[in-house]
Amino acid sequence: MKVPFSPPDITEEEINEVAEALRSGWITTGPRTKEFERQIAEYCGTEKAVCLNSATACLEQSLRVMGIGAGDEVITTAYTYTATCSCICHVGATPVLVDTLPGTFEMDPQQVRNAVTEKTKAIICVDLAGIIYSKYDEIFQIAEEKKVLFHPSNERQQALGRIMVMSDAAHAFGAKQNGKICGQIADFTCFSFHAVKNLTTAEGGAAVWSKTVTESGIDSEKLYRDYMLLSLHGQSKDALAKTQAGAWEYDITDPYYKCNMTDIMAAIGLVQLKRYPEILEKRRKIIGKYDWALKDLPVEVLTHYDGQNISSGHLYMVRLTGKTREECNAVIERLAKKDIASNVHYKPLPLLTAYKNRGFDIQNYPNAYRQFANEITLPLHTCLSNEQIEYVIKEFKDAL
Ligand SMILES: Cc1ncc(COP(=O)(O)O)c(C=O)c1O
């Protein structure tokens, strides 16, 4: 039996909606993207949402709309995917990586506190595996404590009046913590709709901002307009507006970037969003089965659902107690021989060439290294049949 790691869950409905978009005569950013943005904002309970071609673009442009760039520092975790950090490099700011709390995948807030300098403009937290980071309160407290060090360099930074707190919620669309849905906690939150994500548009992402931003006096409409300019060449009219008869003329406000979402992508997203409650429920059931089957094994798993958290159930990360990376790799290989695809989330950033070359040394991230050393991720997706789940469990137990 073949078990892929995370294939997209696409029904005839998505296919029909894409065909409709193709037949409509408008395939790039247009009515479907705007409607998808409206529905995402509604789902997240935010004033607005911006859809772009990836979470990476959303993270990057969220830093830019707040005027973060060269000369600034942005703190994030060593235990994440490169995009959490590469967005900092893309805007020309300096990434500052901190270690995880011992025995967890979560960024250590005390180390964040120690890393703040007069140059710190943002902290990026990661809602890993679909579970909202548990230390946002402390991160906001740090931003408050360190206000004396904060030197705003534009009106928006001045309005916020402190270090901006951002969430890389690539995994966590629809997750909840203490009754708040992801998008309402950090100042800015970015989701991924990449092909392997819970809700996909093939490639894609969304950025939202919470009340902490709007109540500081930052204007949502202007913010939205800036995302639009940044994602479409700095062009004063988007393609749809430009194509209206007689409305050809436009200006370029700055030589910006090109990372807009297309209506074909949004067509997939609109149907996925409609199906999303059912998708989340299916993931929850699969996690329940895995949790039950693994409960007496020498492994540690994440708690996706408890009194505080309702995870989006994105990744089933397992740590094999007392095992080395080599032993874990042997488990991955053995599963592969049985046609089961598993994975590793993540190799800490200081182990990757790009970040080694920037001076990061894994010796300074012993907790992140220990988390990585015995981690493997089992397949978790909504195309899994009960037989496949049983098969994964059996083969995983045998391999272990
Ligand atoms: C934690 C994290 N952040 C950001 C991203 C980037 O998402 P995208 O591919 O939509 O840019 C990913 C993608 O896997 C991720 O896992």
Side-chain angles (χ1 to χ4, degrees), residues 47-268:
E47 269 188 17
K48 291 194 85 71
V50 170
C51 284
L52 301 178
N53 68 4
S54 66
T56 312
C58 290
L59 289 163
E60 187 180 318
Q61 304 308 2
S62 299
L63 293 173
R64 284 205 176 94
V65 289
M66 288 301 286
I68 296 171
D72 298 329
E73 289 175 359
V74 178
I75 301 171
T76 192
T77 172
Y79 206 95
T80 185
Y81 184 60
T82 180
T84 322
C85 189
S86 62
C87 64
I88 304 168
C89 307
H90 294 174
V91 304
T94 303
V96 177
L97 296 180
V98 305
D99 203 0
T100 49
L101 279 165
T104 84
F105 292 105
E106 295 202 314
M107 179 164 72
D108 182 344
Q110 189 51 41
Q111 290 204 30
V112 171
R113 185 176 273 110
N114 297 342
V116 172
T117 72
E118 297 206 337
K119 293 180 179 173
T120 308
K121 287 289 169 65
I123 300 168
I124 308 181
C125 311
V126 180
D127 301 330
L128 193 74
I131 305 165
I132 296 177
Y133 178 55
S134 72
K135 308 291 177 201
Y136 278 107
D137 284 352
E138 196 169 346
I139 297 297
F140 274 106
Q141 197 185 319
I142 293 167
E144 282 297 316
E145 277 168 26
K146 302 283 182 177
K147 267 181 167 171
V148 280
L149 291 179
F150 185 71
H151 303 297
S153 46
N154 59 47
E155 273 181 22
R156 281 187 187 145
Q157 290 182 12
Q158 177 120 31
L160 197 60
R162 55 162 171 77
I163 298 167
M164 146 189 173
V165 179
M166 194 145 97
S167 159
D168 176 344
H171 302 175
F173 186 68
K176 288 183 183 157
Q177 187 181 71
N178 298 325
K180 277 191 180 171
I181 194 158
C182 193
Q184 296 189 352
I185 300 170
D187 296 323
F188 287 80
T189 298
C190 300
F191 306 110
S192 174
F193 306 139
H194 176 263
V196 301
K197 297 300 188 287
N198 287 15
L199 185 159
T200 188
T201 57
E203 296 285 352
V208 296
W209 48 96
S210 72
K211 278 191 185 151
T212 52
V213 173
T214 51
E215 286 176 357
S216 75
I218 295 174
D219 185 277
S220 278
E221 292 301 329
K222 284 190 185 144
L223 209 48
Y224 180 82
R225 220 172 309 136
D226 282 355
Y227 276 104
M228 291 302 108
L229 287 172
L230 282 161
S231 61
L232 218 133
H233 301 298
Q235 193 170 290
S236 60
K237 279 182 191 163
D238 67 19
L240 189 62
K242 251 177 67 186
T243 357
Q244 307 307 312
W248 69 270
E249 194 166 0
Y250 63 91
D251 189 21
I252 297 293
T253 59
D254 237 311
Y256 283 147
Y257 310 91
K258 184 65 165 61
C259 49
N260 51 314
M261 177 173 277
T262 71
D263 269 21
I264 295 179
M265 299 153 90
I268 308 174

Side-chain angles (χ1 to χ4, degrees), residues 32-45:
R32 281 185 170 77
T33 307
K34 300 297 161 192
E35 176 58 15
F36 190 41
E37 286 177 339
R38 192 194 66 72
Q39 291 190 18
I40 285 178
E42 190 176 75
Y43 185 86
C44 295

Side-chain angles (χ1 to χ4, degrees), residues 4 8 22 26 42 53 84 119 154 232-233 295 299 303 324 337 375 388 398-399:
L22 288 170
W26 194 263
E42 190 176 75
N53 68 4
T84 322
K119 293 180 179 173
N154 59 47
L232 218 133
H233 301 298
K295 70 181 173 20
V299 297
T303 305
T324 62
K337 284 205 183 99
E375 196 278 341
Q388 284 175 313
D398 283 358

Side-chain angles (χ1 to χ4, degrees), residues 337-354:
K337 284 205 183 99
K338 301 285 179 178
D339 267 341
I340 298 169
S342 55
N343 217 323
V344 176
H345 293 86
Y346 289 98
K347 206 166 174 179
L349 300 182
L351 281 175
L352 304 173
T353 306

Side-chain angles (χ1 to χ4, degrees), residues 217 236 286 331 367:
S236 60
I286 298 167
V331 170
N367 298 334

